[in-house]
Amino acid sequence: MEIRKTFKVYIFLLVLTGALAGCFTLAHQIFKSKEIASYENFYKNEEKIALDVLKPIWDEPNPEVNLNKERINVLVIEGGAAKGLYAVRILDYLEKKTGKPISELYDVMGGTSIGSFIVSALSTEEKGKPKYSAEYFIKIFPKLAQKALYPSWKQVLLSGFGLFSPLINTQEYIDLLRSIYGDIPTSKTLNHLVLYGLNFSTSKIQVFHSRGNSLETADPLLYQLIGGTISFFGLFPPNKVLLSPLYSPQFIGDAALVLNNPVETVMMDLLKMYPDKKFLVTYIVIAPKQMPDTVNFPYYSGHFEAERLYMGPLIGTAQNQLIRKSMQSLSSIYKFDLLFEIGLKQNVEWVQLDPFDFSDKNIEKINDFSKLILHENKEALDSLAIELLKQ
């Protein structure tokens, strides 16, 4: 009797496994039949849109890099997906404290992943003025993130839970970004932007400046570029970005895979582009500001446990320490006027919050932490506001 029950269970599991495999195979075939199983077939209209808009202006000179100011104010925001909401709250505080938009307070803004989205949106121009305020983005951030980055149940099933195709509906996502930015090239932003993407065509980190010769004739449409810099590996494919009429489109993805903390690389670039200038640097850190120097772990705990529990904290700690050492060295050599690091002190609960969970519950938790981070940094932010108003 017991053997029969066990046999029935095995048969049931076998049939269920076969049915799931059949569903996944069918989903894969559906995607292949729609010709969206490869990168080349995503974003079918994006190249034509870029050519129609950019061709008439490609012969125009790129904006100059030199700012006629003694000190250059720099804002850098690192990657962190949903946790980027706290960075917007920090900027909203500064806007209200100073009575000025972020695009007027800062000359140069840079970022990775969600950081690139925030700085580019706040630098988007409409009739000579900023199109958006930080306060506006606080209001729309949850719905915007859910619409752009939260896969529908249909997409989850059709993609085989992300096994066969991206979890995010690519065209809907890119159309949403286009509604935010419009059809403006990167060079038309209010500020000098420094944005990072991972070029899947060359397997290299690629920096995009909205000012100066470093564009090397590349002046992509802003919404397409941002679509690439926040296209996280595994969620949606890298975005097809047309860099110039001379080159084929390049596939740009999220640089957070290898460069989530871009402040050092931003400053290295700016020191070359703006020689003999002072810098006021505001660095908004989404990972904790203070990481422990060591992580207690057994010397051998098995491959799976080591990968899952220990490698992340160790790598994060090493990157964290390295960036601070580099910034200290740079600031001692080049005498940064001021270097503000805004973020949360070491906090296990904040680290464990899932940045890719855009549910109302998780957004509410991030909002609660935003208040805590603002409280912890209020004194520094108030002094920063005073400094930003000096010019």
Side-chain angles (χ1 to χ4, degrees):
M1 194 72 176
E2 199 66 39
I3 294 172
R4 281 184 181 179
K5 282 184 180 179
T6 305
F7 182 70
K8 285 180 180 178
V9 170
Y10 281 137
I11 292 295
F12 173 75
L13 290 173
L14 190 63
V15 170
L16 181 63
T17 303
L20 288 172
C23 287
F24 287 165
T25 303
L26 179 62
H28 196 199
Q29 290 303 316
I30 289 170
F31 270 95
K32 282 181 74 176
S33 68
K34 289 184 177 180
E35 296 185 326
I36 56 173
S38 70
Y39 290 163
E40 288 293 343
N41 293 316
F42 282 101
Y43 316 107
K44 288 182 179 179
N45 299 318
E46 294 307 304
E47 191 173 341
K48 183 181 183 303
I49 291 168
L51 276 171
D52 289 345
V53 177
L54 294 173
K55 234 179 180 179
I57 63 170
W58 256 325
D59 290 334
E60 294 179 12
N62 291 322
E64 293 293 329
V65 299
N66 290 323
L67 289 165
N68 189 23
K69 301 176 75 174
E70 184 183 348
R71 186 182 74 191
I72 294 174
N73 296 342
V74 183
L75 170 66
V76 183
I77 306 175
E78 68 179 28
K83 291 181 180 180
L85 176 58
Y86 116 71
V88 187
R89 286 200 173 275
I90 294 287
L91 299 179
D92 175 55
Y93 182 87
L94 288 173
E95 284 192 338
K96 287 174 178 169
K97 192 78 180 173
T98 60
K100 290 191 173 186
I102 291 300
S103 60
E104 286 185 24
L105 295 173
Y106 290 96
D107 306 298
V108 183
M109 302 199 287
T112 301
S113 198
I114 195 66
S116 72
F117 172 75
I118 294 167
V119 298
S120 59
L122 295 179
S123 187
T124 299
E125 176 263 346
E126 187 174 62
K127 297 178 181 178
K129 295 182 178 180
K131 191 174 181 180
Y132 306 108
S133 66
E135 183 180 30
Y136 174 78
F137 264 96
I138 290 172
K139 292 175 183 175
I140 70 165
F141 188 94
K143 287 185 179 178
L144 189 69
Q146 287 169 0
K147 189 175 180 182
L149 304 171
Y150 222 41
S152 67
W153 66 269
K154 288 181 183 178
Q155 187 76 4
V156 171
L157 289 178
L158 285 174
S159 66
F161 296 89
L163 288 173
F164 304 130
S165 304
L167 276 171
I168 303 298
N169 187 309
T170 305
Q171 199 58 55
E172 283 183 14
Y173 154 72
I174 206 72
D175 289 344
L176 179 65
L177 289 175
R178 191 179 184 191
S179 72
I180 294 169
Y181 294 102
D183 289 334
I184 65 167
T186 306
S187 62
K188 299 300 182 186
T189 55
L190 293 167
N191 303 87
H192 175 179
L193 296 184
V194 187
L195 308 171
Y196 291 91
L198 180 61
N199 191 326
F200 278 65
S201 304
T202 62
S203 301
K204 294 179 180 178
I205 287 287
Q206 186 155 346
V207 59
F208 294 90
H209 288 266
S210 64
R211 300 285 186 273
N213 296 327
S214 56
L215 278 169
E216 295 174 351
T217 74
D219 192 6
L221 287 177
L222 185 59
Y223 85 87
Q224 293 177 351
L225 177 58
I226 299 305
T229 62
I230 56 177
S231 290
F232 196 78
F233 185 76
L235 281 178
F236 27 5
N239 198 5
K240 198 173 189 178
V241 177
L242 194 64
L243 298 185
S244 87
L246 303 175
Y247 304 104
S248 60
Q250 304 286 291
F251 289 103
I252 306 298
D254 194 330
L257 290 164
V258 285
L259 182 71
N260 197 50
N261 325 64
V263 66
E264 179 191 6
T265 47
V266 168
M267 291 314 302
M268 290 296 285
D269 264 356
L270 296 184
L271 287 165
K272 295 174 192 171
M273 297 175 81
Y274 300 102
D276 305 318
K277 297 279 188 180
K278 290 182 178 179
F279 290 93
L280 183 154
V281 185
T282 307
Y283 179 34
I284 298 184
V285 187
I286 293 175
K289 283 200 295 181
Q290 297 171 346
M291 298 284 279
D293 290 335
T294 59
V295 177
N296 294 322
F297 65 97
Y299 285 107
Y300 184 77
S301 55
H303 175 76
F304 179 78
E305 196 173 350
E307 285 279 337
R308 183 169 171 270
L309 298 179
Y310 301 123
M311 289 305 292
L314 282 170
I315 292 169
T317 301
Q319 288 178 342
N320 202 284
Q321 292 171 356
L322 181 62
I323 286 161
R324 276 163 186 76
K325 292 285 186 188
S326 298
M327 288 303 290
Q328 285 169 10
S329 298
L330 285 175
S331 62
S332 64
I333 297 168
Y334 294 101
K335 308 296 181 189
F336 294 167
D337 206 19
L338 285 163
L339 173 61
F340 286 92
E341 186 178 9
I342 310 297
L344 188 68
K345 291 180 182 176
Q346 187 181 330
N347 186 296
V348 174
E349 190 181 351
W350 174 251
V351 172
Q352 290 176 347
L353 277 182
D354 183 359
F356 294 104
D357 179 358
F358 296 93
S359 65
D360 291 336
K361 187 177 179 181
N362 200 54
I363 292 290
E364 191 176 334
K365 286 182 181 177
I366 292 168
N367 258 325
D368 290 339
F369 269 105
S370 299
K371 296 170 188 173
L372 174 63
I373 296 167
L374 271 170
H375 176 74
E376 281 195 3
N377 291 272
K378 188 176 182 304
E379 191 176 331
L381 287 169
D382 288 345
S383 61
L384 173 60
I386 293 167
E387 283 295 328
L388 290 171
L389 288 171
K390 283 183 178 178
Q391 291 193 128

